């Protein structure tokens, strides 16, 4: 009975929802270190998908393959119905404006002010918003969604870890991406700041109507943001389901995540 | 065995640098151009090395004059001083020493800067925002180093000659006009042009190696230090190789 309902649910999502991102049989090795051994994933429009995995399990490698920072050994990656691995540089850069990427360490440009940081992605892609010459409005709008308008003229060195993460988020928002990839959005932050960032992520999803892929090993973060989860173990998508389903699992390797 | 591995690593490095150079040339001529950033880098690089080049040039002039003078005096040929000093400074000592100090300042600076940007994933962040970081970071810096070094060398040479004049003036009461008259009488285009052309190559090598080492910096803070350090060592070595080739070629074309 329970199973039948689950299948029905899955079928419904399959039929009604657009696939924003699809990974099939992704493999990647560094020498003898086989990091990904056939990873599969589908991200539907508007959902929050959480990927959990131990440190060093290849989460960052996987997400870097998704934006063309690393080249997988084999497998296919489709983003909004375009085959990522077959694109040329210009097409790739074009597609990248549709994808926001929040780096594990924020990766703010430390020689530039917050304003310049936010303006930087715009320098090549203003055509996305018509030919605007005044970027101030876009910058302020993005800063407003993360609640840091007052920091506009500060340097990254003057910001706290949590503020950096927010500015980095604002920088990915400025191109109005359809998909946002979060690499450990709460790592290195205290619990309270983590909560704020998580809250922010949920607001952003509502406000910008994005689909998000969230990588984390923070169980609290997964519980709050996830609509669906995938566990990455031994380089494959080991288990899939909602947070509650996985938490109730009897499998030893799955249980280990929720201790 | 270890030596073999090192030799192999050296050739791999040369191969990668060649590839890097090719990419530079390709991106140099493709739109869009980063003019604003290029100007900023020129200003920054020039400004950063101005004082250093000035002081180095001045000391070169003083030292060479002081050390050559006794020998010439022995032969009673002090009047040859200006032409001798100017030829050695303009042709060889000025460009090479100023380029070496420039390498110490700029190659290490670029190596460390790009290295830390690589390590903290800032270069990756530029890449994923669809703004070609090679163009923005590498092309502008290499070009700025190539354009600025010749100007700095001309400046340094001039200061060196002035330093030399000060010594001459204090020892033998030679007037400014007379001194520089002698200097310009002894210099030919065959001295100035090859020396200037070679400084463009010096600047290019310094910028390129600095960027190369920084852009492919290994992860970790150790990597940044290593990138800065090896950028200086590698570019200084390259300077001498280029210098040798330049002198060789000049010899064929100008000295018949
Ligand atoms: N550029 C690289 N060269 C060689 N090995 C790499 C490289 N990048 C990652 N690896 C290896 O791939 C494995 C997975 O690394 P990855 O950074 O994806 O882990 P992670 O799941 O993101 O861990 P964390 O939660 O700590 O961020 C590690 O064993 C790492 O050593
Ligand atoms: Mg990671």
């Amino acid at each position: 009975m329970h199973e039948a309902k689950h299948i029905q649910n899955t079928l419904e999502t399959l039929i009604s929802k657009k696939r924003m991102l699809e990974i099939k049989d992704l493999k990647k090795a560094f020498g003898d270190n086989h990091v990904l051994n056939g990873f599969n994933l589908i991200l539907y429009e508007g959902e929050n998908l959480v990927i959990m995995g131990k440190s060093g399990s290849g989460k960052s490698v996987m997400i870097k393959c998704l934006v063309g920072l690393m080249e997988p050994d084999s497998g296919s990656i489709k983003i909004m119905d375009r085959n990522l691995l077959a694109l040329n540089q210009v097409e790739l850069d074009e597609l990248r404006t549709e994808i926001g990427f929040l780096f594990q360490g924020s990766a703010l440009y430390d020689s530039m002010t917050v304003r310049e940081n936010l303006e930087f992605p715009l320098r090549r892609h203003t055509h996305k918003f018509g030919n605007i010459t005044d970027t101030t409005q876009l910058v302020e709008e993005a800063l407003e969604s993360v609640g840091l308008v007052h920091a506009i003229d500060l340097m990254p060195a003057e910001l706290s870890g949590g503020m950096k993460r927010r500015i980095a988020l604002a920088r990915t928002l400025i191109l109005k991406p359809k998909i946002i990839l979060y690499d450990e959005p709460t790592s290195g932050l205290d619990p309270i700041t983590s909560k704020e960032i998580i809250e922010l992520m949920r607001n952003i999803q509502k406000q910008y109507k994005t689909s998000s892929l969230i990588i984390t090993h923070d169980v609290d973060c997964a519980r709050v943001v996830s609509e669906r989860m995938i566990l990455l173990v031994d380089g494959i998508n080991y288990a899939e389901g909602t947070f509650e389903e996985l938490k109730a699992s009897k499998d030893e390797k799955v249980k280990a995540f929720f201790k | 065995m270890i030596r073999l591995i090192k030799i192999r690593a050296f050739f791999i490095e040369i191969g990668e640098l060649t590839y890097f150079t090719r990419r530079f040339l390709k991106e140099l001529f493709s739109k869009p151009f980063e003019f604003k950033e290029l100007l900023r880098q020129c200003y920054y690089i020039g400004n950063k090395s101005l004082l250093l080049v000035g002081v180095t040039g001045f000391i070169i002039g003083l030292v060479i004059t002081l050390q050559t003078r006794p020998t010439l005096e022995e032969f009673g040929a002090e009047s040859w001083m200006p032409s001798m000093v100017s030829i050695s400074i303009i042709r060889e000592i000025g460009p090479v020493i100023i380029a070496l100090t420039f390498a110490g300042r700029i190659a290490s600076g670029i190596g460390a800067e790009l290295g830390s940007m690589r390590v903290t994933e800032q270069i990756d962040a530029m890449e994923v925002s669809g703004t070609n970081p090679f163009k923005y970071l590498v092309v502008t810096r290499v070009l700025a180093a190539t354009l600025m070094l010749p100007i700095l060398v001309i400046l340094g040479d001039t200061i060196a000659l002035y330093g030399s004049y000060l010594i001459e003036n204090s020892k033998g009461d030679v007037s400014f006009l007379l001194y520089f008259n002698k200097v310009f009488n002894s210099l030919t285009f065959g001295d100035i042009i090859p020396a200037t052309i070679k400084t463009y190559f010096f600047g290019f090598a310094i910028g390129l190696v600095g960027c190369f080492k920084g852009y492919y910096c290994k992860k970790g803070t150790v990597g940044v230090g290593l990138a800065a350090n090896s950028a200086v060592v590698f570019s200084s070595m390259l300077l001498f190789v280029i210098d040798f080739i330049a002198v060789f070629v000049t010899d064929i074309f100008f000295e018949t």
Side-chain angles (χ1 to χ4, degrees):
Chain A
M1 182 61 203
H2 190 78
E3 204 134 288
K5 199 172 171 203
H6 182 72
I7 290 169
Q8 192 192 343
N9 278 344
T10 322
L11 275 177
E12 257 169 34
T13 40
L14 275 180
I15 296 159
S16 61
K17 291 208 171 159
K18 203 174 133 197
R19 297 175 179 202
M20 297 303 281
L21 207 156
E22 193 172 353
I23 300 180
K24 264 197 200 137
D25 206 26
L26 196 70
K27 290 187 181 153
K28 175 81 187 169
F30 298 99
D32 286 338
N33 182 6
H34 293 268
V35 181
L36 296 173
N37 305 309
F39 185 78
N40 295 286
L41 167 159
I42 296 172
L43 176 72
Y44 297 102
E45 189 168 20
E47 82 169 334
N48 278 345
L49 175 60
V50 168
I51 315 273
M52 262 176 101
K54 289 197 307 231
S55 185
S57 57
K59 305 182 298 288
S60 295
V61 169
M62 189 270 292
I63 207 172
K64 278 179 185 166
C65 288
L66 285 181
V67 284
L69 284 178
M70 270 186 193
E71 209 169 312
D73 298 336
S74 68
S76 76
I77 299 173
K78 260 193 188 164
I79 296 176
M80 298 189 288
D81 293 323
R82 302 177 67 182
N83 185 356
L84 183 86
L85 303 174
L87 300 180
N88 65 29
Q89 190 64 44
V90 177
E91 292 168 330
L92 181 61
D93 281 347
E94 197 73 22
L95 183 60
R96 277 168 168 167
T97 65
E98 307 284 354
I99 311 170
F101 192 119
L102 187 68
F103 281 85
Q104 198 163 351
S106 301
L108 294 180
Y109 310 132
D110 48 22
S111 61
M112 305 181 196
T113 64
V114 167
R115 181 200 294 277
E116 288 161 346
N117 260 281
L118 267 73
E119 278 168 350
F120 194 83
L122 291 174
R123 52 190 289 117
R124 286 277 161 275
H125 303 291
T126 37
H127 59 271
K128 206 174 164 182
F129 307 97
N131 259 337
I132 36 164
T133 38
D134 187 22
T135 51
T136 311
Q137 198 191 336
L138 288 169
V139 171
E140 277 173 2
E141 190 185 326
L143 283 176
E144 209 158 306
S145 7
V146 298
L148 278 178
V149 183
H150 59 277
I152 190 161
D153 287 318
L154 296 181
M155 297 298 283
E158 298 168 296
L159 305 172
S160 71
M163 287 164 91
K164 275 187 195 159
R165 207 57 63 87
R166 284 163 183 247
I167 299 293
L169 194 49
R171 192 178 63 185
T172 59
L173 287 176
I174 201 158
L175 285 176
K176 307 231 160 62
K178 300 207 170 62
I179 305 171
I180 303 186
L181 312 175
Y182 298 90
D183 192 353
E184 311 259 11
T186 59
S187 77
L189 301 177
D190 62 81
I192 298 171
T193 317
S194 297
K195 276 221 182 73
E196 285 171 14
I197 297 282
I198 291 168
E199 195 52 39
L200 197 59
M201 287 162 62
R202 289 161 55 113
N203 288 340
I204 281 165
Q205 199 204 6
K206 271 185 226 138
Q207 191 188 339
Y208 289 81
K209 308 224 173 349
T210 53
S211 324
S212 322
L213 188 67
I214 301 136
I215 283 184
T216 185
H217 50 219
D218 177 355
V219 180
D220 282 329
C221 172
R223 182 169 47 84
V224 182
V225 282
S226 73
E227 288 160 3
R228 201 157 62 86
M229 286 178 63
I230 293 182
L231 295 187
L232 171 57
V233 180
D234 301 331
I236 57 164
N237 40 327
Y238 189 78
E240 263 181 79
T242 62
F243 185 85
E244 277 71 28
E245 281 169 358
L246 290 176
K247 201 174 179 195
S249 165
K250 298 268 185 306
D251 190 298
E252 280 304 319
K253 281 185 179 168
V254 176
K255 269 162 112 180
F257 281 97
F258 299 96
K259 281 201 178 123
Chain B
M1 189 61 202
I2 288 176
R3 195 169 291 164
L4 263 180
I5 291 173
K6 272 195 177 156
I7 290 172
R8 195 164 158 247
F10 177 76
F11 280 108
I12 289 176
E13 183 127 41
I14 298 286
E16 283 170 349
L17 186 61
T18 313
Y19 180 79
F20 195 74
T21 315
R22 230 187 61 193
R23 180 157 178 210
F24 168 80
L25 293 174
K26 209 182 103 201
E27 306 250 7
L28 177 62
F29 295 110
S30 68
K31 279 191 203 172
F33 304 110
E34 301 275 2
F35 270 125
K36 216 172 128 199
E37 179 65 11
L38 175 65
L39 285 183
R40 212 178 65 87
Q41 285 301 329
C42 283
Y43 173 75
Y44 183 69
I45 287 179
N47 195 18
K48 217 170 133 184
S49 17
L50 199 59
L51 186 66
L52 200 66
V53 166
V55 172
T56 315
F58 190 63
I59 293 176
I60 295 174
L62 297 184
V63 169
I64 289 190
T65 314
L66 279 173
Q67 294 202 324
T68 328
R69 207 169 160 53
T71 321
L72 286 186
E73 258 172 0
E74 221 168 283
F75 297 107
E78 302 103 292
S79 58
W80 282 57
M81 266 317 282
S83 62
M84 228 197 102
V85 168
S86 62
I87 284 181
S88 55
I89 286 178
I90 300 282
R91 271 202 191 169
E92 187 61 25
I93 297 174
V96 170
I97 293 193
I98 288 168
L100 280 175
T101 52
F102 188 78
R105 187 103 175 110
I106 300 305
S108 65
I110 294 177
E113 189 188 9
L114 295 195
S116 69
M117 287 186 79
R118 167 64 73 193
V119 168
T120 55
E121 299 186 313
Q122 291 175 46
I123 295 182
D124 289 340
M126 288 185 177
E127 186 103 47
V128 295
S129 65
T131 36
N132 187 343
F134 195 95
K135 205 162 209 139
Y136 182 77
L137 298 173
V138 176
V139 173
T140 52
R141 280 171 175 73
V142 176
L143 217 53
T146 313
L147 296 175
M148 291 317 283
L149 183 60
I151 297 174
L152 288 167
V153 167
I154 289 171
L155 186 85
D157 284 351
T158 314
I159 294 176
L161 288 177
Y162 187 72
S164 164
Y165 152 73
L166 286 183
I167 298 283
E168 278 299 282
N169 191 22
S170 70
K171 296 252 159 131
D173 214 15
V174 185
S175 79
F176 185 81
L177 218 58
L178 180 61
Y179 184 85
F180 277 92
N181 236 331
K182 281 188 172 177
V183 166
F184 285 114
N185 275 338
S186 56
L187 286 177
T188 64
F189 279 116
D191 299 318
I192 297 174
I193 290 178
T196 308
I197 292 175
K198 110 180 147 184
T199 55
Y200 278 100
F201 284 94
F202 287 171
F204 178 71
I206 290 167
L208 193 78
V209 171
C211 287
F212 172 68
K213 289 290 182 181
Y215 204 75
Y216 293 118
C217 177
K218 297 261 167 3
K219 286 283 155 85
T221 24
V222 185
V224 178
L226 209 65
N229 192 308
S230 55
V232 178
V233 176
F234 199 4
S235 61
S236 312
M237 204 181 73
L238 207 55
L239 282 188
F240 287 111
V241 175
I242 293 173
D243 191 44
F244 173 72
I245 296 172
V247 170
F248 202 74
V249 172
T250 314
D251 202 45
I252 294 171
F253 283 102
F254 284 89
E255 309 282 301
T256 38

